[in-house]
Amino acid sequence: MTIGLACGVRQLFPILLSLVFCGVWLLLHPSLPGCEGGAVARPPPDDWLSPEQAKALQTENTQLSLELEKAKEELQKFNSTYGQVVSAYAAAKEQLDSTTEMLPLESHNTCGAPSSLVATSGRVYCGDVSLELGRARDFAHCQLACAMNSSCEFYSYWSSGRRTRLCRITSSCDHKVNVKELNEHVQIYQRVVPVSSKRSLLQLLGMYDSGTNLMLATIVSNFPLCCQQAYRPDIMDLQIEAQDHGRCLHWATPEKHVNPLQMLDALKGQKMKHWDPKLVDFQQKHQIAIVALVRDPLAQLQSWKKAPYGLERCAKRKRCAFHSTATDCIPTTAWITEPCTWWDPARHHNAGITGGSFPSLPAIWNGYTLGYWRLRAESGYKQVLLVKFEELVMAPAAVVSRISEAMDMRVHSEDVAVAERAAKAHGKAKDRNAAIKSLESRDFVKSYTAKELKATCIRLNFSLASSVGYRLTECEDFKGEAKLEEPYSDTQAVAEAKQDITLPEEKKAQLLRFQSRRAKRFPSKVLKPRRRPTR
């Protein structure tokens, strides 16, 4: 009891001491300046306003309040207008971003598509499935885009209402759609193909660095084109103009580097992301001749290493992947043995895609060559010619003769124009004399180390190489160790990624080898199971 009382007094002592000091201070200062009767009296201000001044100030405040209300109303109107502008801009930007920019003017044929005006109201456009939709510089640009696409029959051109002009290309115009904006003006034109010119349709195919540019230069210098090509200034002087009432060459739509296996699947009606099964080229395939370029696989791989284009991530690889299943993979052979996946969509809408998923770089050569053979046997095209790059360099007259027979366009052997200079300005291309010396000496083989040559040879399909005409004498010692690798299909790759299919025995063995290697390198991570953290 005594201890508790002592503690309470100890806590109250500071408060009592403060009260005593305050009382003593008040006794010593009974009156303060400005205090009367213990209350604080504030002095009146020196700037008291007169009644007239107060009334004027009130009137001024009233006027300011009215002006403020007007300003608020104007601000609300501006905000509503600004909101409409922002929403309209966002909608236009979304629609513009959803369209792809058409190829520049230099990438189209210089001849336009003769056309007739279909709709004169300016308020409708062709609503059928578009072959190509994008931004155009002017009407001539849209006209040239239709001229380049062999499937184009109608094109709609937005001549006003947008800062950027639009061009919509279709193969039909059964459904006309009204425009949404009042200031939009659209004109529909129908392409008119001149009866005087008979077109021979040609499709050029080939992998990177397989000689497609040399073939292009050879064709344009020996066959008249229905439309002159302006996107290659280096071959403009080689092109031949089409004669009236004569036959001329017209290029098919798909890109030249497309994967032939995917092209064949699209032809058979399989749904592909970058292929349109209703492509007019597929419907008139019996009138199209295909020229597919192939090259010596040993030279092809070295060309990819020198100028890889889309294969840069694969051809420039300098280390093995951690999960690599290739037992012969070392840093110097990683660019050959490791899997390669790349995609390069065509410039035209739904006109194919280059690339795919392949277990190694030699498997790309196997897959593309196999695809060309399957196109020849299963596609239904008018004719599929497999042309070797070496034959095109050494005997161009024989190649031109084969192409002329396939396209029903006769060219005399003595009149064949031979491309002597480099066929392209990029990729460190050689002229004809340098290419002949390289083929005769086979100096590209010297670029391989012993391990690189073995890693390449055991992954090549010797049957495919022999069917094209390549003996591959440098690979004779490795035929018994061949490892045939099939290219991955898109559906298989997606299914494996989602783990929706059962792995084959070979894949299971590769997975077991990978797990054993991981267990040796990281035993703690493998032996100790991963636990979820407890809260």
Side-chain angles (χ1 to χ4, degrees):
M1 182 71 181
T2 307
I3 296 174
L5 183 60
C7 292
V9 172
R10 184 179 180 181
Q11 292 178 357
L12 294 174
F13 181 74
I15 301 175
L16 296 174
L17 186 62
S18 301
L19 293 175
V20 170
F21 276 111
C22 289
V24 172
W25 186 82
L26 290 174
L27 291 174
L28 295 177
H29 303 81
S31 61
L32 294 176
C35 295
E36 296 178 358
V40 178
R42 297 180 180 177
D46 298 333
D47 53 348
W48 280 109
L49 298 178
S50 62
E52 293 80 6
Q53 292 177 343
K55 187 176 181 180
L57 182 61
Q58 186 177 3
T59 304
E60 184 178 358
N61 290 337
T62 304
Q63 293 178 355
L64 291 176
S65 300
L66 295 176
E67 293 179 0
L68 180 61
E69 293 296 332
K70 291 182 180 180
K72 288 182 179 180
E73 293 178 359
E74 293 179 358
L75 181 61
Q76 290 179 356
K77 293 180 180 179
F78 174 78
N79 288 336
S80 61
T81 306
Y82 178 75
Q84 295 177 0
V85 172
V86 169
S87 59
Y89 173 77
K93 186 176 184 301
E94 182 179 359
Q95 183 177 2
L96 190 61
D97 292 341
S98 63
T99 61
T100 57
E101 184 175 4
M102 304 182 76
L103 294 176
L105 189 60
E106 295 78 17
S107 299
H108 291 290
N109 303 341
T110 57
C111 62
S115 54
S116 60
L117 188 62
V118 175
T120 58
S121 64
R123 304 298 303 161
V124 295
Y125 64 92
C126 292
D128 297 44
V129 178
S130 64
L131 302 173
E132 190 172 356
L133 171 65
R135 290 170 277 187
R137 299 178 184 177
D138 49 22
F139 171 73
H141 191 188
C142 186
Q143 189 179 24
L144 293 176
C146 182
M148 185 177 182
N149 196 323
S150 59
S151 304
C152 173
E153 294 295 336
F154 295 87
Y155 56 97
S156 306
Y157 174 69
W158 277 255
S159 58
S160 64
R162 295 175 180 270
R163 180 175 298 180
T164 303
R165 307 292 183 245
L166 289 182
C167 180
R168 195 173 196 272
I169 296 175
T170 57
S171 58
S172 60
C173 194
D174 298 331
H175 305 284
K176 294 182 176 63
V177 181
N178 295 325
V179 296
K180 297 180 180 180
E181 301 296 335
L182 295 176
N183 59 344
E184 286 185 332
H185 184 78
V186 188
Q187 292 175 320
I188 302 177
Y189 294 88
Q190 183 177 6
R191 179 178 181 176
V192 179
V193 179
V195 182
S196 59
S197 61
K198 299 178 181 180
R199 299 189 303 171
S200 293
L201 300 176
L202 179 65
Q203 174 66 60
L204 180 61
L205 296 178
M207 190 46 186
Y208 304 136
D209 302 312
S210 61
T212 54
N213 287 285
L214 179 60
M215 176 60 77
L216 176 64
T218 302
I219 289 177
V220 300
S221 59
N222 289 280
F223 298 95
L225 300 181
C226 300
C227 293
Q228 301 296 308
Q229 293 180 325
Y231 68 91
R232 289 291 304 276
D234 53 336
I235 62 173
M236 282 292 293
D237 58 326
L238 304 176
Q239 301 183 55
I240 302 175
E241 295 183 1
Q243 303 295 328
D244 294 337
H245 304 281
R247 184 171 290 276
C248 59
L249 182 147
H250 191 84
W251 299 107
T253 303
E255 195 77 9
K256 62 181 180 179
H257 298 312
V258 296
N259 190 328
L261 294 174
Q262 294 184 358
M263 183 177 179
L264 185 62
D265 291 340
L267 279 167
K268 293 181 178 180
Q270 182 176 345
K271 291 184 178 180
M272 308 291 289
K273 182 177 180 181
H274 296 279
W275 287 97
D276 183 8
K278 298 181 180 180
L279 196 66
V280 176
D281 287 358
F282 290 170
Q283 299 176 5
Q284 57 184 8
K285 60 184 180 180
H286 60 281
Q287 302 177 2
I288 302 176
I290 294 180
V291 176
L293 271 294
V294 293
R295 190 174 183 178
D296 187 309
L298 298 179
Q300 182 72 86
L301 264 66
Q302 287 297 330
S303 297
W304 288 341
K305 189 176 183 180
K306 178 187 67 172
Y309 299 105
L311 292 172
E312 185 170 3
R313 295 181 60 185
C314 304
K316 298 295 184 180
R317 185 183 284 119
K318 296 183 179 180
R319 62 179 181 179
C320 303
F322 175 73
H323 58 278
S324 175
T325 57
T327 56
D328 56 344
C329 181
I330 57 177
T332 56
T333 63
W335 67 281
I336 299 173
T337 61
E338 292 303 283
C340 179
T341 300
W342 91 103
W343 306 101
D344 186 11
R347 292 172 295 179
H348 302 293
H349 183 61
N350 288 336
I353 186 172
T354 301
S357 298
F358 298 87
S360 64
L361 210 64
I364 300 177
W365 188 92
N366 295 338
Y368 267 70
T369 306
L370 175 63
Y372 297 145
W373 278 116
R374 291 187 59 187
L375 280 176
R376 185 175 185 176
E378 307 172 21
S379 64
Y381 275 87
K382 176 183 178 181
Q383 194 167 353
V384 179
L385 300 179
L386 268 70
V387 180
K388 296 194 297 181
F389 169 75
E390 295 76 13
E391 183 182 1
L392 180 61
V393 174
M394 304 295 290
V399 174
V400 172
S401 177
R402 292 174 58 190
I403 296 175
S404 64
E405 293 179 0
M407 299 189 341
D408 300 328
M409 300 175 66
R410 302 301 177 186
V411 178
H412 299 287
S413 57
E414 59 273 9
D415 299 332
V416 172
V418 179
E420 298 288 346
R421 63 194 184 193
K424 57 184 180 181
H426 49 83
K428 301 178 183 179
K430 301 177 181 178
D431 58 15
R432 185 166 182 262
N433 292 332
I436 292 176
K437 291 180 181 179
S438 177
L439 293 176
E440 292 177 346
S441 63
R442 294 185 67 82
D443 56 357
F444 50 84
V445 180
K446 301 176 183 178
S447 301
Y448 289 93
T449 63
K451 293 183 178 180
E452 288 177 341
L453 182 61
K454 179 180 178 180
T456 302
C457 291
I458 64 178
R459 287 170 172 79
L460 288 174
N461 192 322
F462 290 95
S463 299
L464 278 175
S466 177
S467 65
V468 182
Y470 296 116
R471 296 182 58 185
L472 303 179
T473 56
E474 295 84 2
C475 297
E476 291 290 340
D477 299 336
F478 310 111
K479 283 187 176 181
E481 307 178 36
K483 297 181 180 180
L484 294 183
E485 300 170 323
E486 294 295 333
Y488 301 140
S489 64
D490 294 341
T491 54
Q492 179 183 358
V494 172
E496 288 185 3
K498 295 183 177 179
Q499 299 181 355
D500 290 339
I501 63 174
T502 304
L503 293 176
E505 295 299 329
E506 183 180 358
K507 290 285 184 180
K508 290 181 180 179
Q510 292 178 358
L511 183 60
L512 290 175
R513 287 198 299 269
F514 164 67
Q515 291 177 349
S516 63
R517 288 176 58 188
R518 183 179 178 85
K520 292 179 181 179
R521 296 185 62 181
F522 306 99
S524 60
K525 292 185 178 181
V526 177
L527 296 178
K528 294 182 180 180
R530 186 176 180 181
R531 297 181 179 178
R532 298 180 63 181
T534 57
R535 296 183 180 179

